[in-house]
Amino acid sequence: FPSHDKQSENPEQIDKKYRLLEVIKNLNSKYGDDVVSFGLEDIPKKTTGSVFCDYITSGGFEPGTIVVYYGPKSSGKTTLALRNVVAAQNRGDTCAWLRVEKGCNKEYMQKLNVNTDSLIIVENLPSGEAYGNAILDLIEGGVDLIVVDSITAMIPQQDEAHEMEKNTAIGGQARLFSRLLQRVNNKNRNAIIILISQVRLKPNTMGGHPSKVISGGDAPGFYSDYMIEFRIKAIYRDWE
């Protein structure tokens, strides 16, 4: 038991510490050895494969981290996520790519040196809930890096069941991610999870310029350890 001056402790303090140690022992024996401990453990960070990203994150991402990449289309979100995959594969980590919106193909992955033969691809699931369950299963299976491209395309099951002409429940995607990220936050200890999101104009903005929000409500921002915004400064095209 940590103590700076054991000689100055009176019997009441010693008894209190023994009772606390007994509580800690019972909690660890009931829920696992890592439930209660003294102090925070130093967790080594893993490089992102990008010098700039390593710089702004002070060395990379820790295991168990949730990261959100958000910004307009064609701003580099998927490209940076693929570089994260390359860096993870180079250190021997297992990677999974949830291809929800099917916006990234094998040819582009290979151009960025992604080993597509060892990359786990998850696609063609019927609903956002199914993709959410896949994320939890991949965490349980020991996958080190999980990329979701993108959370904007994850449609709740209740929306899938409705016809296009019918109104769906407001906030369905926000509720989906609130439930999902609660479970991910409680279950995930080792996987780095990257959520790619587009930005949308916030409805019912009164006056001034309309504000922008990401998909999935407030939950991605609340549960994420890093939120990295992408912006387009200039567009260069190779016409050859």
Side-chain angles (χ1 to χ4, degrees), residues 6 12 22 30 48 98 100 106 110 130 189 200 217:
K6 293 185 178 180
E12 183 179 351
E22 190 64 26
K30 186 175 182 179
T48 64
L98 274 67
V100 187
K106 182 178 180 180
Q110 291 177 337
R189 294 293 180 273
R200 295 288 186 264

Side-chain angles (χ1 to χ4, degrees), residues 8-233:
S8 62
E9 294 178 353
N10 57 47
E12 183 179 351
Q13 290 175 322
I14 295 174
D15 181 64
K16 182 179 179 180
K17 286 188 175 182
Y18 275 112
R19 284 188 281 111
L20 178 56
L21 284 173
E22 190 64 26
V23 170
I24 293 173
K25 180 181 177 182
N26 291 337
L27 285 171
N28 284 335
S29 109
K30 186 175 182 179
Y31 297 108
D33 293 337
D34 60 344
V35 172
V36 183
S37 61
F38 292 100
L40 293 174
E41 181 182 358
D42 290 330
I43 302 175
K45 293 187 174 184
K46 296 184 177 182
T47 179
T48 64
S50 164
V51 175
F52 179 72
C53 195
D54 282 349
Y55 174 74
I56 63 175
T57 57
S58 300
F61 301 137
E62 305 92 340
T65 295
I66 298 176
V67 185
V68 176
Y69 292 165
Y70 71 100
K73 65 178 182 179
S74 301
S75 57
K77 304 183 296 294
T78 298
T79 300
L80 179 57
L82 288 171
R83 293 191 180 277
N84 300 153
V85 170
V86 173
Q89 289 180 334
N90 288 341
R91 59 177 174 261
D93 288 352
T94 305
C95 304
W97 190 280
L98 274 67
R99 195 165 171 261
V100 187
E101 66 179 32
K102 301 178 177 62
C104 183
N105 55 36
K106 182 178 180 180
E107 181 182 1
Y108 186 64
M109 289 182 173
Q110 291 177 337
K111 281 184 177 180
L112 294 179
N113 297 321
V114 174
N115 184 351
T116 54
D117 293 332
S118 65
L119 180 64
I120 301 170
I121 301 293
V122 180
E123 59 183 345
N124 300 325
L125 292 178
S127 66
E129 283 83 356
Y131 280 105
N133 290 329
I135 294 172
L136 295 171
D137 290 340
L138 291 169
I139 292 172
E140 189 70 25
V143 175
D144 301 294
L145 175 65
I146 302 171
V147 180
V148 183
D149 185 19
S150 66
I151 64 174
T152 306
M154 290 176 62
I155 303 175
Q157 188 172 3
Q158 61 179 357
D159 289 354
E160 290 277 7
H162 285 79
E163 297 179 4
M164 290 292 293
E165 295 80 7
K166 293 184 178 180
N167 293 327
T168 57
I170 296 175
Q173 193 179 52
R175 289 193 296 273
L176 166 64
F177 278 97
S178 179
R179 294 191 301 268
L180 170 61
L181 294 180
Q182 281 177 345
R183 297 176 64 186
V184 169
N185 185 63
N186 291 332
K187 192 173 187 179
N188 184 34
R189 294 293 180 273
N190 299 311
I192 297 171
I193 301 176
I194 298 175
L195 307 175
I196 299 176
S197 177
Q198 299 173 10
V199 291
R200 295 288 186 264
L201 294 180
K202 187 175 182 179
N204 300 325
T205 301
M206 301 297 293
H209 296 286
S211 59
K212 295 181 179 180
V213 295
I214 65 173
S215 303
D218 293 334
F222 180 80
Y223 286 103
S224 64
D225 300 275
Y226 301 94
M227 290 191 68
I228 301 178
E229 181 181 6
F230 291 69
R231 295 184 180 180
I232 299 175
K233 185 176 182 180

